[in-house]
Amino acid sequence: MHSDHSLPSTLDLFAGEDRQPARTEQIGEQSYVLRGFALPWVARLLPALEPVLLQAPFRNMATPGGFTMSVALSSCGTLGWTTDRSGYRYTRLDPLSDQPWPEMPAVFRELAQAAAMAAGFSDFMPDACLINRYLPGAKMSLHQDKDERSYAAPIVSVSLGLPAIFLFGGLKRSDKSRRVPLFHGDIVVWGGVDRLRYHGVLPLNEGHHPQLGAQRINFTFRRAG
Ligand code: SIN
Ligand code: FE2
């Protein structure tokens, strides 16, 4: 197990488990996979996630087209992303409780900012963190993140638990997409000229992760408002 005594600064190149240099893979002009970047933070992320999920439990939302998403969602931050029969949008209240979404834990925001910085995006101030839970079989179809007020800020996407194949496409749905395996602790950041690239996740395979069991959890940080 990794120790957690020194959390990385935003300029720390040694963000991986066992203090190995984090490996950065460029997957677009302004898109990066930061391998293992979140590993030193996991021991603080998971306890912070618990009260968030008590307040705003995972739920399978309906799409405007009338399907139920296989990925279960929650959110924290001042804005939460929701979907129902009338469309996709950000809301200040959790429609399940009619209460504000849980506050974004400081450690979530700090990780998102550090990852954005490592990918060349300074001053990232996320106000929304979508929390996706994939059980085996769950998938996310190709889509663009375009419900945000501005596209100036990047998307920062943290993978925890079971591995998944991330699809990273182009600016048109029909563009060929690249398959990027994502593992526990990896972070993908895309922004700037790549901000509106299509992306998705292939159906999750069965498996068991030592810390998270038979699931993958993804945090997607955005500046939505
Ligand atoms: C998303 O696009 O909201 C999720 C991406 C992922 O689960 O890696
Ligand atoms: Fe997305």
Side-chain angles (χ1 to χ4, degrees), residues 130 132 134 140 143 145 157 159 166 182 199 201 216 218 220 222:
L130 177 61
N132 293 306
Y134 298 73
M140 178 96 56
H143 66 279
D145 289 359
S157 174
S159 291
F166 181 66
L182 294 181
H199 57 281
V201 175
R216 170 175 186 265
N218 166 264
T220 300
R222 295 124 179 217

Side-chain angles (χ1 to χ4, degrees), residues 2-221:
H2 63 278
S3 65
D4 212 30
H5 48 82
S6 76
L7 289 168
S9 76
T10 51
L11 295 175
D12 195 344
L13 293 171
F14 297 88
E17 198 158 16
D18 302 320
R19 315 306 288 165
Q20 292 301 302
R23 281 170 300 123
T24 300
E25 294 170 22
Q26 188 164 9
I27 56 170
E29 200 177 327
Q30 291 184 279
S31 311
Y32 299 89
V33 181
L34 309 173
R35 294 286 177 201
F37 194 94
L39 289 175
W41 301 70
V42 171
R44 291 209 292 156
L45 293 174
L46 295 181
L49 177 60
E50 276 175 34
V52 167
L53 293 176
L54 285 177
Q55 213 181 313
F58 284 125
R59 75 291 305 260
N60 293 89
M61 295 181 183
T63 64
F67 295 99
T68 298
M69 294 182 68
S70 59
V71 176
L73 308 187
S74 180
S75 278
C76 61
T78 50
L79 292 170
W81 186 86
T82 57
T83 170
D84 59 20
R85 288 307 303 262
S86 60
Y88 306 123
R89 62 194 171 278
Y90 284 96
T91 60
R92 295 193 170 270
L93 302 183
D94 176 353
L96 211 56
S97 64
D98 269 333
Q99 296 298 309
W101 293 101
E103 246 183 77
M104 189 185 299
V107 63
F108 281 37
R109 187 177 48 250
E110 287 161 19
L111 172 58
Q113 287 173 334
M117 181 78 87
F121 300 96
S122 54
D123 302 317
F124 180 45
M125 289 292 292
D127 57 8
C129 173
L130 177 61
I131 307 166
N132 293 306
R133 186 197 61 193
Y134 298 73
L135 299 178
K139 65 175 171 65
M140 178 96 56
S141 308
L142 270 187
H143 66 279
Q144 294 169 296
D145 289 359
K146 58 176 186 189
D147 301 320
E148 299 71 32
R149 189 191 298 276
S150 149
Y151 305 137
I155 303 289
V156 173
S157 174
V158 178
S159 291
L160 299 172
L162 288 179
I165 304 289
F166 181 66
L167 299 174
F168 195 61
L171 296 172
K172 296 196 304 268
R173 185 183 292 278
S174 57
D175 288 343
K176 189 173 158 44
S177 53
R178 160 203 294 254
R179 290 171 175 230
V180 183
L182 294 181
F183 302 93
H184 180 66
D186 291 348
I187 302 187
V188 187
V189 182
W190 65 97
V193 296
D194 291 330
R195 175 60 180 74
L196 288 175
R197 284 177 71 157
Y198 276 87
H199 57 281
V201 175
L202 290 182
L204 196 77
N205 284 329
E206 302 277 350
H208 177 85
H209 185 270
Q211 276 165 288
L212 284 145
Q215 62 179 338
R216 170 175 186 265
I217 293 196
N218 166 264
F219 301 149
T220 300
F221 294 93

